[in-house]
Structures are given as structure tokens and as C-alpha cells.
Amino acid sequence: MLVLGIETSCDDTAVAVVENSKHIRASVVSSQDQIHAAYGGIVPELACRSHIEQIRPVLETALAQAQVTLDDIDVIGVTQGPGLVGALLVGISFAKALAYGTDKPLVPVHHLEGHISSIYLEHDDVPYPFVALVVSGGHSDLYVCPERGHYQLLGRTRDDAAGECFDKVAKMLHLGYPGGPIIDKLAQTGNPAHVHFPRAMMAKETFDFSFSGVKTAVRTHLLQLTTPDGEPIFADDTFWPIPEAPWWEPQRNDILASFQQAVADVLVAKTLRAVQQSRAQAIAVVGGVACNSALRHAMQHATGTEGLPVYFPSPRFCTDNAAMIACAAAYRYQTQAWADTSHSFLDLDAHPNLMLTGSEIS
Ligand code: KG4
Ligand code: ZN
């Protein structure tokens, strides 16, 4: 079965062709990072306009790479939510037109089920139940997956998502966007024990997260820094100008490594607690922040002695992509009854706040 996946929920325009849920014939992602970099975060209106411009060329590139035509496609899957409403609507409208014009079934996909499905692209043998840590620019959620396609929400962030926190700290220091990969790289040479930033809600019996406090702690720490002469480095919280002296970059990288470690420690501790409570057999870490080297290392280190398997998708399947959407669509298509020829999908609408429970998508 050949599935065409379409993903436009945020700032990546992505189309993939996946065969039998596994063989990735093409996975094309057009990133809008350069458009949003000037603003240090995503501007929804610009995201929509760029999706409109990019969706058709991205489709054509994906079909060419996969060496197929639309006629060869059996099923089309598209992200229905959650995400930016205008961005979602571009993908959904495009997918509806394609499905209608070619008379193919159209399967709506939950974006987070897509992220969790990214592990099935590369692994057949995931044991159940497993705990899924979904960490991206928009989400920091912990789920237990008792079986394929079923999800019980244990906790989520009460304020910023983990990726959003990386992006905001990078913006604070004028490092660029998206902040996660930049901080990850700069932190490689930093000392993660240099500053002990707060690990929020660790003691509480909750699986919820809070990341706005660590961001504020970084701001407060930066305002207290002094030059070797004892002068404040920053006059105010614009954190501008950035010092050009040779002592600045090592110090900055220590702060970034310490910040990154604080975020990773919380994510690992809560995930392990979720494993204990649910007697899970494995952990899946998915979403853009799953690329983070400190998180990968801390999670592997914490689980290594117990031999608990941890599944991280390859980096290109951690960040938003359409192969994961095609994989989830294939599963939904095979396990649910679809009114293939009734064109009922013409009523399909975007759901910016769609919740993931495992069976609510229709
Ligand atoms: O999954 P994704 O592409 O989009 C959403 O669904 O949000 O995740 C993007 C997020 C951004 O916040 C980005 O800064 C973060 O993932 N990210 C990282 C890394 N690579 C991407 N965060 C930390 N370390 C990384 N290496
Ligand atoms: Zn995502």
C-alpha cells in the first residue's frame, strides 16, 4: 500500500510517500526557518502564505523522488490538528482537492499520533505498554500507549513546551531560530554543572511539566553576570549588546549547557516515574526536542542499567515530517472503516486544539 502523507500544521511544508508503513520512498520537508528567524518565533500568517506557495512544489518533488505518480497512490493522509489553524487548512484543503480529483480515500491524522508513529518507521518490535514522551515546539506531553493506536495522557506542560523554552532562551541571547539545535551545538563545549537551574515540579506527584521558570531563571542569572572588572555585563533584559570579549562565549556556553541539562533532567525523571507507574516495557521519545543530545544521553544513561529499551527516531523523523503522518494514516486506514467513495472527507475541518485519546479522529 502506497500512502501519500501531507503535513502543514506548523512551519514545515512536508509531503512523503511511504510504502507499507515502512519503506520511505520520499520524505520532503520545506522548512520556513529563514522566514521566521527574523522574528525569533513563528509568525502564523507568514507560515500560511509560505505553505500555500510550497505545497505544490513539495508534492511534485516527493512524487518525483518516489518515482510514482498520483495514480499509484492508494491512500492520502493529512494532519488534521493540533496546530496553527491557517497552516492546517492549507494542507487539508490541498489534500481534499487531491483526494477528490483522484478519487482516493483521505485519512485525517492527529499530529501527535504522527510523532509517536515515527518510531514505527524504523522499528517493528516496540513492546507494549510503552511510555511516549512527546517533546516539540508546541507540546511536552507524557502518554502511556497500552497498544498500537491507544494513548492515555499522564501529563503535559502547564506553560511553555520544552522546544518553545529552548527557542525563547535562544531568542533572549540573540542566537537565532529555531533555538533548540543552536543551543544543543553551543552547549557541547559548556559545563552542564556550571549553574544549577531549577527543575520545576520534580517533587510533586504529577506528570505535568513547567518550563517557564527555568527560562526566567536564565534571564535572572544573565542579569547578575559581571565582567572580569566587576561591571554588569548586561544593562537590561534586552541582553544587548552581546559582549565581544573572549571570556563571553565559554561563559555563555556553560549557561546554555546548564539550562539544557535542567530541561533534560526533568524530562528524564518524569518519564522514568511514568514507566514505574505504568509498568511500561519501553520508552519512545519523539518530537523535535528528541534530537537533543543531552536528553538522548541522559535518557540512555538513566535506563541503561535496567536494560529498558528507549526508542528515538532518527533526527529527520523527530522534527516535523510527512513520513510519520503517512505511517499513522496507513494504520488508521487499515484499522478503521473508511467510506472511500462517499467523499465524506469533504467535510473534514482543521482542529487547532485536537486532543489525542487514540480513537477520536473521524
Ligand atoms: O516537532 P517539531 O519540528 O515541531 C513541532 O511540532 O513543534 O519541533 C520543533 C522544536 C523547536 O522548538 C526546536 O527548537 C526543537 O524542536 N528542537 C530542538 C532540537 N532540535 C529541534 N530542541 C533541542 N535540541 C535540539 N537538538
Ligand atoms: Zn510536531
Short mmCIF file of all heavy atoms in Angstrom, two decimals, residues 32-43 46 171 174-178 182:
data_model
loop_
_atom_site.label_atom_id
_atom_site.label_comp_id
_atom_site.label_asym_id
_atom_site.label_seq_id
_atom_site.Cartn_x
_atom_site.Cartn_y
_atom_site.Cartn_z
N GLN A 32 10.57 26.58 6.91
CA GLN A 32 10.38 28.04 6.86
C GLN A 32 11.28 28.77 7.85
O GLN A 32 11.04 29.94 8.16
CB GLN A 32 8.92 28.37 7.17
CG GLN A 32 7.91 27.73 6.25
CD GLN A 32 6.48 28.04 6.68
OE1 GLN A 32 6.22 28.77 7.64
NE2 GLN A 32 5.52 27.49 5.96
N ASP A 33 12.29 28.07 8.36
CA ASP A 33 13.12 28.66 9.42
C ASP A 33 13.64 30.05 9.06
O ASP A 33 13.65 30.96 9.89
CB ASP A 33 14.31 27.75 9.74
CG ASP A 33 13.89 26.51 10.52
OD1 ASP A 33 12.72 26.47 10.95
OD2 ASP A 33 14.72 25.60 10.68
N GLN A 34 14.05 30.21 7.81
CA GLN A 34 14.64 31.51 7.41
C GLN A 34 13.60 32.62 7.46
O GLN A 34 13.92 33.76 7.77
CB GLN A 34 15.21 31.42 6.01
CG GLN A 34 16.52 30.63 5.99
CD GLN A 34 17.31 30.85 4.72
OE1 GLN A 34 16.71 31.15 3.69
NE2 GLN A 34 18.61 30.70 4.79
N ILE A 35 12.34 32.27 7.17
CA ILE A 35 11.28 33.29 7.18
C ILE A 35 11.03 33.77 8.61
O ILE A 35 10.88 34.96 8.87
CB ILE A 35 9.97 32.69 6.59
CG1 ILE A 35 10.19 32.35 5.12
CG2 ILE A 35 8.79 33.62 6.78
CD1 ILE A 35 9.04 31.58 4.48
N HIS A 36 11.01 32.81 9.56
CA HIS A 36 10.64 33.16 10.93
C HIS A 36 11.83 33.60 11.78
O HIS A 36 11.64 34.17 12.86
CB HIS A 36 9.93 31.98 11.59
CG HIS A 36 8.71 31.52 10.83
ND1 HIS A 36 7.57 32.28 10.75
CD2 HIS A 36 8.49 30.43 10.06
CE1 HIS A 36 6.68 31.65 9.99
NE2 HIS A 36 7.21 30.52 9.55
N ALA A 37 13.05 33.35 11.28
CA ALA A 37 14.25 33.64 12.07
C ALA A 37 14.30 35.12 12.48
O ALA A 37 14.69 35.45 13.60
CB ALA A 37 15.50 33.27 11.29
N ALA A 38 13.86 36.00 11.58
CA ALA A 38 13.94 37.43 11.86
C ALA A 38 13.07 37.81 13.07
O ALA A 38 13.29 38.84 13.70
CB ALA A 38 13.48 38.21 10.63
N TYR A 39 12.07 36.97 13.38
CA TYR A 39 11.13 37.29 14.46
C TYR A 39 11.41 36.47 15.72
O TYR A 39 10.75 36.66 16.74
CB TYR A 39 9.69 37.06 13.98
CG TYR A 39 9.39 37.80 12.70
CD1 TYR A 39 9.54 37.18 11.46
CD2 TYR A 39 8.98 39.13 12.73
CE1 TYR A 39 9.30 37.86 10.28
CE2 TYR A 39 8.74 39.82 11.54
CZ TYR A 39 8.91 39.18 10.32
OH TYR A 39 8.69 39.86 9.15
N GLY A 40 12.32 35.52 15.63
CA GLY A 40 12.64 34.69 16.80
C GLY A 40 11.53 33.73 17.17
O GLY A 40 11.51 33.18 18.28
N GLY A 41 10.57 33.52 16.29
CA GLY A 41 9.45 32.61 16.56
C GLY A 41 8.54 32.59 15.35
O GLY A 41 8.73 33.39 14.41
N ILE A 42 7.56 31.70 15.39
CA ILE A 42 6.72 31.52 14.20
C ILE A 42 5.67 32.63 14.09
O ILE A 42 4.96 32.92 15.06
CB ILE A 42 6.03 30.14 14.25
CG1 ILE A 42 7.11 29.06 14.18
CG2 ILE A 42 5.04 29.98 13.11
CD1 ILE A 42 6.66 27.71 14.62
N VAL A 43 5.56 33.22 12.90
CA VAL A 43 4.51 34.21 12.63
C VAL A 43 3.43 33.48 11.82
O VAL A 43 3.66 33.13 10.65
CB VAL A 43 5.08 35.41 11.83
CG1 VAL A 43 3.99 36.46 11.61
CG2 VAL A 43 6.29 36.00 12.53
N LEU A 46 2.59 34.41 8.12
CA LEU A 46 3.68 34.11 7.18
C LEU A 46 3.77 32.61 6.93
O LEU A 46 4.09 32.17 5.82
CB LEU A 46 5.02 34.65 7.71
CG LEU A 46 5.11 36.17 7.88
CD1 LEU A 46 6.51 36.56 8.35
CD2 LEU A 46 4.79 36.88 6.57
N LYS A 171 16.35 33.10 21.76
CA LYS A 171 15.93 34.44 21.34
C LYS A 171 16.47 35.50 22.32
O LYS A 171 16.94 36.56 21.91
CB LYS A 171 14.40 34.50 21.27
CG LYS A 171 13.88 35.81 20.72
CD LYS A 171 12.37 35.81 20.60
CE LYS A 171 11.89 37.14 20.04
NZ LYS A 171 10.44 37.23 20.00
N HIS A 174 19.85 36.29 21.45
CA HIS A 174 20.05 36.68 20.03
C HIS A 174 20.85 35.62 19.27
O HIS A 174 21.74 35.93 18.48
CB HIS A 174 20.76 38.04 19.95
CG HIS A 174 20.16 39.06 20.87
ND1 HIS A 174 18.99 39.73 20.57
CD2 HIS A 174 20.55 39.49 22.09
CE1 HIS A 174 18.69 40.53 21.58
NE2 HIS A 174 19.61 40.40 22.52
N LEU A 175 20.50 34.35 19.52
CA LEU A 175 21.28 33.26 18.91
C LEU A 175 20.69 32.77 17.59
O LEU A 175 21.36 32.08 16.84
CB LEU A 175 21.37 32.07 19.88
CG LEU A 175 22.17 32.33 21.16
CD1 LEU A 175 22.05 31.15 22.11
CD2 LEU A 175 23.62 32.60 20.83
N GLY A 176 19.42 33.08 17.33
CA GLY A 176 18.79 32.62 16.09
C GLY A 176 17.63 31.68 16.37
O GLY A 176 17.32 31.36 17.52
N TYR A 177 16.96 31.26 15.28
CA TYR A 177 15.78 30.41 15.37
C TYR A 177 15.88 29.28 14.35
O TYR A 177 16.35 29.51 13.23
CB TYR A 177 14.52 31.26 15.10
CG TYR A 177 13.27 30.42 15.06
CD1 TYR A 177 12.60 30.10 16.23
CD2 TYR A 177 12.80 29.90 13.85
CE1 TYR A 177 11.48 29.29 16.19
CE2 TYR A 177 11.69 29.10 13.81
CZ TYR A 177 11.03 28.79 14.98
OH TYR A 177 9.93 28.00 14.95
N PRO A 178 15.45 28.06 14.67
CA PRO A 178 14.96 27.59 15.96
C PRO A 178 16.10 27.41 16.96
O PRO A 178 17.20 27.01 16.58
CB PRO A 178 14.28 26.25 15.63
CG PRO A 178 14.94 25.79 14.38
CD PRO A 178 15.39 27.00 13.63
N ILE A 182 20.57 25.16 17.92
CA ILE A 182 21.68 26.10 18.16
C ILE A 182 22.21 25.91 19.58
O ILE A 182 23.43 25.80 19.80
CB ILE A 182 21.20 27.56 17.94
CG1 ILE A 182 20.70 27.75 16.51
CG2 ILE A 182 22.30 28.56 18.28
CD1 ILE A 182 19.95 29.04 16.27
#
